[in-house]
Amino acid sequence: MTRGRHTGVSRRQFLKTGSGASAALVVGFHWSWEAFAEGQPPQQRPTPNPFDAWIRIAADGTATLLVSKSEMGQGIKTSLPMILAEELDVDWKQVRVEQAPTNPTFYNHGTGGSTSVRTLFTPLRQAGAAARQMLVQAAATRWQVEPATCRTRGGVVFHDATKKRAGYGELVAAAAALPIPDMKTVPLKDPSTFSIIGTSLARTDIPSKVNGSAKFGIDTRVPGMLYAAVARCPVIGGTPKGVDASKAKSIAGVRDIVEIAAIKSAFSSAGVAVVATSTWAAISGRDALKIEWNNGPNAGESSTELHAQMRTLTASAGTVVRNDGDAMAALSTAATKLEAVYEAPFQAHAPMEPMNCTVDVRADGAEAWVPSQSPHNARTTIAEIAGLPADKVVVHTALMGGGFGRRAMSDFVAEAAQISKAVKAPVKLQWTRDDDMQHGFFRQAACHRFKGALDKDGKPVAWLDRLSSTSIAAFMFGGGRAEGTEIGGAADVPYAIPNLRMEYQAAKSGIPVTFWRSVQYSFNPFAVEGFIDEMAAAAKVDPLEFRLRLLAEPRRIPPTGAAALDTQRFKATLELAAKKAGWGTPLPKGRGRGIACIYGFQTYVAQVAEVSVGTDGKVRVHRVVTATDCGRVINPDIVAGQMESGTIYGLSAALKGSITVKGGRVEQENFDTFEVVRVDEAPVIETYIVPSTEAPTGTGEPATGPIAAAVANAIFAATGKRVRRLPITPKDLV
């Protein structure tokens, strides 16, 4: 998704409340919009709300963190409380976690871009340290001793000289009356004393998911709720011209038929909703509708023509986004020249829980239950449709059965809000799998055209990469730099090639695109790491050794996002993956190893894949070894889980599913035509973490990026056949 940085917290951005027997110490903190959406045009950034999260310390000593980030399987309701508990110096058993309410009191709730831990690590430490300091001061005042002579452990303040002790709960009322410490000077723990951060504590969200008490968006039930299903034009962007609802109205349970408009700010489509007393009745009613559609401007669009357009675009010069040396001159005089075209298709997000939400629009306010990565955007969308101020809209953030960037959008919220407003009742809108597959937003389709050159000694001297893709920036934000969301992982090539040039041209397309897990890092590394392997083969140098030679010089590559790439950290990550995979050791007959690496979301990931190819061309991935440098690790098990999850997600895109368009219509409908890797096809995945004391970085997305290239490079090692197009199909290999 997007990239961000922490921008500091001032003393005035803290809050404390409490009085009497029910007093609680409450510490709040705020950080700016850049923490979630760096790179968006300033005019798209909302005015920050005053607080993003609070610590609450109750009289019984429990500490509660109100988490503003959405839990969608990434373990954020464990990692963030661990940071708090560490710096607060409270027993982990005393920590509770709650979902922050989405209202103007709390700031941006956006979850994506692998930003949650890396942007909240310092603010949470500061908040915990501030609360701890206030509690120590309260104890020292009570005992008439110097605060420096007190210490804390497990939610208790100790004064060893007098053998006095007091639990945090005893000190809450007194601490609440104290001034908030200056955030710039509040002392933080020495990391060498950490006892919670860096441990594999069990996830807090697992018990409720195992016993069935966890409530996902699809589980929402409210009094008086009706159900809705929406018919949308099969051609993307089409609108209803005429509706015959007579048969639909005759179906038992159908209450109303509502035409809904396209809402530009939410990127939603026009359609016809059937409202009923059950989801089944609503879907049955929708199926009975007879609708004449105006197919709109995208009726002639096809994937075939789009890829032809991109191949044509990459045959000529585009906007220069990086230009080191003189690649054109070096290409003209080089001893060995290479050319290759790499292509990647549209991809669906395909979360297990299809889009859904429940909205209740009333004259005096609105309430919604939304499994969303952007509940603040959902609130804004509902307010716009209902004609209400934002402070009259309450959005409850539900658990999500997968997000992957799809649930950062609010199109389905716009639909539900319109329906609820029209029927004057709470409405649960449920998309089907087919709806989700054909009417959502997709990962960009892309095409790279490379030219490379080696000198007479096999050293790379030139690299020209011309990239064309459909553009998220162009689709969502209109003007500006259309390449802003497309070039990561390609413009910041880490290898020491003296003449390196990259150009970009956006392809014209009406197919809606948005952030897909790892965004541009999901397709650019396939091409970049594939072509670097081709250069290694042409130079007759081992692919690992070829990379290491080009990373030998300590350098920092200028960033395309928030932080520069450190070639030495990159090199160490590659070396760890290769060592653990047994690079260079014999493999069973018919198998090959491939290696690939990326720097994305400020994290380094290298992967080695062991692959075999059957006589029928079917690819079997037996083993994947992943190494990552993600800075200081909060919870190693969660990091490993995210590496595994990202690998499987990327592997499905590499070997299985793709979205194709014909006549403006998505051809895939369900998991029979958009396949994913199944349990019996999943490889053994091993994860190794490079020890680091650097600040934490993102782990939710980076492992999605290199796996396609690692597999393709392994296929070449096993068969001598080069793969340059995704998904990899048997017909490409027989």
Side-chain angles (χ1 to χ4, degrees):
M1 302 253 323
T2 48
R3 302 163 67 89
R5 61 181 182 274
H6 170 57
T7 56
V9 183
S10 75
R11 178 188 180 94
R12 292 180 180 228
Q13 291 164 331
F14 269 72
L15 174 73
K16 65 174 178 61
T17 62
S19 62
S22 61
L25 177 62
V26 180
V27 181
F29 49 89
H30 157 255
W31 49 92
S32 86
W33 172 246
E34 281 85 353
F36 176 65
E38 182 183 14
Q40 279 195 347
Q43 64 269 24
Q44 298 293 332
R45 301 176 186 170
T47 301
N49 291 325
F51 299 98
D52 200 342
W54 288 335
I55 294 170
R56 295 200 309 255
I57 301 175
D60 65 358
T62 59
T64 300
L65 173 63
L66 274 67
V67 179
S68 61
K69 302 303 179 183
S70 302
E71 178 62 68
M72 50 186 170
Q74 81 279 40
I76 211 63
K77 286 191 174 180
T78 305
S79 297
L80 296 182
M82 286 177 67
I83 301 168
L84 163 66
E86 182 68 77
E87 202 64 54
L88 186 58
D89 209 359
V90 66
D91 190 320
W92 176 247
K93 295 177 182 177
Q94 294 178 281
V95 175
R96 306 290 180 267
V97 58
E98 296 178 8
Q99 186 70 44
T102 307
N103 58 45
T105 302
F106 285 82
Y107 182 54
N108 190 293
H109 292 232
T111 307
S114 298
T115 57
S116 295
V117 167
R118 65 183 167 103
T119 58
L120 304 192
F121 180 68
T122 297
L124 280 173
R125 290 190 68 194
Q126 291 173 331
R132 173 167 46 85
Q133 182 170 315
M134 294 165 73
L135 291 158
V136 168
Q137 180 63 61
T141 301
R142 174 187 294 185
W143 299 330
Q144 296 185 340
V145 300
E146 288 297 318
T149 64
C150 299
R151 63 182 178 88
T152 60
R153 186 180 74 246
V156 179
V157 182
F158 297 88
H159 188 254
D160 293 333
T162 60
K163 299 191 181 330
K164 291 182 178 179
R165 56 178 288 165
Y168 285 178
E170 302 173 55
L171 302 168
V172 165
L178 297 173
I180 300 291
D182 188 335
M183 291 305 297
K184 293 180 180 179
T185 60
V186 63
L188 302 177
K189 271 189 174 184
D190 182 337
S192 67
T193 68
F194 285 168
S195 60
I196 293 176
I197 289 176
T199 65
S200 293
L201 295 177
R203 282 176 46 165
T204 61
D205 59 320
I206 295 300
S208 64
K209 290 177 178 177
V210 171
N211 66 29
S213 63
K215 299 299 181 184
F216 291 79
I218 204 168
D219 299 319
T220 303
R221 301 287 188 276
V222 298
M225 183 174 76
L226 296 173
Y227 300 79
V230 173
R232 304 168 190 85
C233 183
V235 175
I236 292 171
T239 57
K241 185 188 296 185
V243 182
D244 179 355
S246 55
K247 288 188 177 180
K249 290 179 179 179
S250 68
I251 292 175
V254 170
R255 291 282 189 86
D256 210 341
I257 310 296
V258 178
E259 288 198 41
I260 57 175
I263 304 298
K264 185 177 181 180
S265 60
F267 305 102
S268 68
S269 302
V272 182
V274 176
V275 185
T277 56
S278 70
T279 297
W280 178 251
I283 293 173
S284 298
R286 182 184 68 173
D287 292 344
L289 291 172
K290 292 185 177 180
I291 305 174
E292 183 182 2
W293 296 101
N294 176 356
N295 288 333
N298 301 321
E301 183 150 351
S302 75
S303 298
T304 301
E305 292 180 2
L306 174 62
H307 281 279
Q309 177 196 160
M310 292 189 292
R311 286 191 291 271
T312 299
L313 287 171
T314 57
S316 59
T319 300
V320 178
V321 294
R322 182 174 173 185
N323 192 20
D324 302 345
D326 191 339
M328 298 305 188
L331 282 166
S332 67
T333 60
T336 302
K337 301 176 184 179
L338 299 84
E339 293 190 23
V341 174
Y342 282 74
E343 295 180 286
F346 290 119
Q347 284 288 349
H349 297 79
M352 286 295 99
E353 179 192 19
M355 298 303 106
N356 67 87
C357 68
T358 302
V359 180
D360 183 11
V361 174
R362 307 177 303 276
D364 61 344
E367 193 169 9
W369 295 260
V370 189
S372 174
Q373 293 175 245
S374 299
H376 53 291
N377 283 345
R379 187 186 69 222
T380 301
T381 296
I382 294 168
E384 175 188 341
I385 291 167
L388 294 166
D391 62 3
K392 296 296 183 182
V393 179
V394 175
V395 173
H396 305 281
T397 306
L399 291 173
M400 286 173 273
F404 313 124
R406 173 63 180 93
R407 282 189 159 95
M409 308 302 287
S410 293
D411 55 312
F412 57 102
V413 181
E415 293 179 340
Q418 290 184 76
I419 300 165
S420 175
K421 182 180 180 181
V423 301
K424 297 179 172 57
V427 171
K428 179 180 179 180
L429 171 66
Q430 180 64 61
W431 286 37
T432 64
R433 174 61 57 197
D434 292 7
D435 293 337
D436 221 39
M437 197 73 71
Q438 297 190 311
H439 299 288
F441 301 79
F442 307 97
R443 185 192 75 177
Q444 314 97 298
C447 174
H448 285 263
R449 186 180 297 273
F450 290 103
K451 292 184 180 181
L454 305 170
D455 66 15
K456 59 184 178 59
D457 297 319
K459 294 179 180 179
V461 293
W463 174 286
L464 172 64
D465 177 8
R466 286 175 171 162
L467 166 63
S468 178
S469 75
T470 54
S471 168
I472 296 173
F475 172 73
M476 295 184 68
F477 311 129
R481 295 184 60 178
E483 74 274 10
T485 50
E486 323 307 324
I487 61 175
D492 48 2
V493 172
Y495 304 116
I497 302 172
N499 304 289
L500 191 152
R501 182 182 178 97
M502 185 193 173
E503 301 169 359
Y504 178 81
Q505 293 189 71
K508 293 182 179 180
S509 172
I511 306 303
V513 290
T514 193
F515 310 107
W516 188 90
R517 189 174 190 174
S518 208
V519 203
Q520 64 265 48
Y521 297 96
S522 70
F523 56 83
N524 285 334
F526 164 66
V528 169
E529 288 294 293
F531 194 60
I532 203 73
D533 244 51
E534 293 199 44
M535 295 185 82
K540 296 181 173 57
V541 177
D542 173 83
L544 172 64
E545 179 61 29
F546 191 76
R547 287 171 170 83
L548 294 178
R549 289 178 187 177
L550 299 179
L551 292 171
E553 176 191 348
R555 293 179 302 136
R556 296 184 69 83
I557 309 301
T560 57
L565 181 158
D566 183 335
T567 56
Q568 295 311 285
R569 293 178 71 181
F570 211 154
K571 182 171 177 283
T573 307
L574 261 172
E575 289 173 332
L576 179 60
K579 177 182 177 181
K580 296 297 185 180
W583 187 269
T585 61
L587 280 170
K589 185 178 179 180
R591 291 195 190 186
R593 285 193 188 97
I595 195 165
C597 50
I598 74 160
Y599 172 72
F601 309 94
Q602 302 179 29
T603 292
Y604 304 84
V605 174
Q607 291 184 319
V608 176
E610 290 183 14
V611 171
S612 64
V613 180
T615 55
D616 58 356
K618 186 174 181 179
V619 176
R620 176 76 189 190
V621 182
H622 301 274
R623 181 188 182 208
V624 175
V625 175
T626 300
T628 182
D629 179 345
C630 55
R632 185 177 297 280
V633 172
I634 308 303
N635 186 311
D637 274 358
I638 289 178
V639 170
Q642 287 301 288
M643 292 296 124
E644 293 166 3
S645 171
T647 298
I648 292 295
Y649 200 73
L651 193 59
S652 289
L655 298 179
K656 296 286 187 175
S658 67
I659 291 295
T660 57
V661 177
K662 186 176 182 180
R665 305 179 182 211
V666 172
E667 295 185 286
Q668 291 71 29
E669 296 180 349
N670 212 311
F671 286 123
D672 58 335
T673 48
F674 183 89
E675 293 189 74
V676 297
V677 169
R678 299 173 184 265
V679 172
D680 65 333
E681 299 170 312
V684 173
I685 302 174
E686 302 168 25
T687 298
Y688 300 93
I689 299 171
V690 178
S692 177
T693 58
E694 299 289 335
T697 55
T699 61
E701 296 172 271
T704 303
I707 187 61
V711 169
N713 293 338
I715 289 171
F716 176 76
T719 68
K721 295 179 180 179
R722 189 64 71 179
V723 175
R724 301 189 181 101
R725 181 178 59 196
L726 296 178
I728 303 166
T729 62
K731 66 181 181 181
D732 296 325
L733 300 173
V734 292

